[in-house]
Amino acid sequence: MQVPQDGEDIASQPWYHGPLSRQAEALLQQDGDFLVRASGSRGGHPVISCRWRGSALHFEVLRVALRPRPGRPTTLFQLEDERFPSLPALVRSYVTGQRPLSQATGAVASRLVARQRPIRRSLSEDTLLDSPAQIEPLRARKWSDSQPAGLEHVGRSREGLSGPGASAVPLSALPRTGSDPVLLTTPAPLGSIADSLRASDGQLHAKAPNKPPRTPSLMLPDASGRPPTYCELVPRVPSAQRTPAGHSCPEPEAPWWEAEEEEEEDEENRCFSRPQAEVSFCPPDNPFCMLGPQNRPLEPEVLRTLRGLFLEHHPGSTALHLLLVDCQATGLLGVTKAQRDAMGVASGLELLTLPHGRRLRLELLERHEALALAGALAVLGCAGPLEERAAALRGLVELALALRPGAAGDLPGLAAVMSALLMPQVSRLERTWRQLRRSHTEAALAFEQELKPLMRALDEGAGPCDPGEVALPHVAPAVRLLEGEELPGPLDESCERLLRTLHGARQMARDAPRFRKAAAGRLRGFRPDPELREALTTGFVRRLLWGSRGAGAPRAARLEKFQRVLSVLSQRLEPDG
């Protein structure tokens, strides 16, 4: 079995079905169902098949060949946004981040269709996997090539492709070499042009279109006579500009959250769009890399993996990961055109203030509560020495400092971390807090003198909310108020707080474009760890805390049950009396 360059065995991936033709459409039952197959009609190239809005859509994954360099992959995989060193990495990023497979269709792959039968070996798997064992014989052939790019594909001789078990390849499918004249009698389809892109030393043979098409999707003709369902992708390609001396690598492509959103029409011409349906930015039933299809609550192996994962990252890095996921969950970044059309506004910050934003408000409340419980568990789950729990407290305090205004500026993330630190089961640990003040004095002082007053002001609607200082505003007070929760305190104070909260909600919706710009600026140049990013999503935290079966229970029952679990853990660490 061949293994991709990042060590991931593609045949072991449950979503990969190997060579599969159009019967793949029968396996896609609901919107969001997806699988990956090797298409026979596309020369064995990988194709992501996904059902979206009642139709089965097929997206051919583009492969970009690079000049061999030590420590760098020779092939990258791409749909429209950034490129990935392997097909599993691409699938994991799109599924975990709930990103549209193409901007034109807005299709989102959320539920994998698992393979039921063993994979049949064919040339299609060789197309998917560019292992060193394949590249070396091709490199040894040493055919001439008049172009500086595409060296991995030259030398793919007729003899090399006619071995046992290999299928015949037409001469037109072979790359052109310097001594092979080719006369094109008909224009090549856009799909084949996009797939033939090869990058080397910052130079490309094809030029990307200026902007994506406005049509929902442009379908390519299908030889079978069936309705065409292959969706045209518009890949973003780095410009072929001359690089300075001594710099041979092209500039890395900007990820999707750095792309500037196009305004479809001028502000003065924009009219009200009637909402079509409630929109969710946290789709359920995501496949998770660190959790199997079925998992029990608080699996020890997963908790150990997560502990090591968080220890590998500096609090500043973790804060940016949390900001990215919070921006997606709030609908500030990554909102597709289809979602904007469905909710009638351009941002989740506007949607949560409207009557049909109730689903978003409930999702944000659950996210806040789940992250707070997970943060408390990080402290109460430390059954070892006292210093270990104090170190866990210090880690949460440092994360809160990295999330505060002026730093990452992620106020929902800050509120969740502070809720964990102020939870009664954590705040009652007197010995642990005493050890924090003794061993980590600066963190203890920052918590008492800076973070607690800041959080109190934010909850009362009087904290910092400028989009330059804040990337994502504190939405919890407005969400709780709109969901009917009563404000604490005397009546006169609660009335003033009510007015401040409503004014802040209006200002937040009005400043949504400025917050989007501030968040994109914080994340510029940031490259997230896929596993850490997954671990911070609402669906993952819910499955981690309550298991695959308990995650579907009513929210109030789940919260009450876990609060009892935390109380038991707190009593075991420091019993009363």
Side-chain angles (χ1 to χ4, degrees), residues 290-455:
M290 290 184 286
L291 296 174
Q294 302 291 328
N295 73 291
R296 303 183 64 181
L298 306 178
E299 290 187 351
E301 184 62 31
V302 179
L303 293 176
R304 282 193 292 270
T305 302
L306 289 175
R307 177 177 175 80
L309 189 63
F310 281 97
L311 288 175
E312 291 174 3
H313 288 81
H314 186 272
S317 172
T318 304
L320 289 179
H321 281 83
L322 190 54
L323 172 63
L324 176 60
V325 180
D326 280 337
C327 286
Q328 283 186 277
T330 312
L332 185 65
L333 296 178
V335 182
T336 65
K337 182 181 182 301
Q339 289 173 326
R340 288 196 297 270
D341 293 341
M343 63 187 181
V345 290
S347 167
L349 293 182
E350 301 168 80
L351 177 63
L352 64 85
T353 65
L354 300 176
H356 61 284
R358 186 166 193 269
R359 182 176 181 180
L360 175 60
R361 291 194 293 269
L362 294 178
E363 288 178 349
L364 293 178
L365 282 177
E366 176 160 12
R367 174 167 179 79
H368 172 83
E369 292 159 350
L371 288 177
L373 293 176
L377 180 67
V379 178
L380 300 174
C382 296
L386 183 63
E387 178 59 36
E388 183 181 352
R389 292 199 299 279
L393 282 179
R394 184 201 62 184
L396 289 178
V397 171
E398 290 178 346
L399 178 57
L401 291 171
L403 291 165
R404 73 189 189 278
D410 178 9
L411 300 192
L414 172 64
V417 175
M418 289 300 294
S419 294
L421 291 169
L422 296 172
M423 201 169 289
Q425 294 91 332
V426 176
S427 59
R428 65 171 293 276
L429 301 177
E430 296 182 2
R431 291 174 51 222
T432 306
W433 285 99
R434 193 180 304 118
Q435 182 66 28
L436 175 72
R437 290 189 288 270
R438 183 182 301 116
S439 302
H440 313 286
T441 308
E442 292 184 3
L445 289 176
F447 176 72
E448 294 292 339
Q449 299 179 3
E450 181 178 355
L451 293 176
K452 288 176 71 174
L454 171 63
M455 200 65 241

Side-chain angles (χ1 to χ4, degrees), residues 68-87:
R69 294 267 176 84
R72 190 177 77 172
T74 58
T75 303
L76 300 178
F77 295 80
Q78 177 185 10
L79 287 178
E80 285 188 342
D81 292 328
E82 72 262 37
R83 298 166 179 174
F84 299 87
S86 72
L87 185 59

Side-chain angles (χ1 to χ4, degrees), residues 24 116 183 202 214 267 319:
Q116 302 296 332
L183 182 60
R214 293 284 183 184
E267 285 294 334

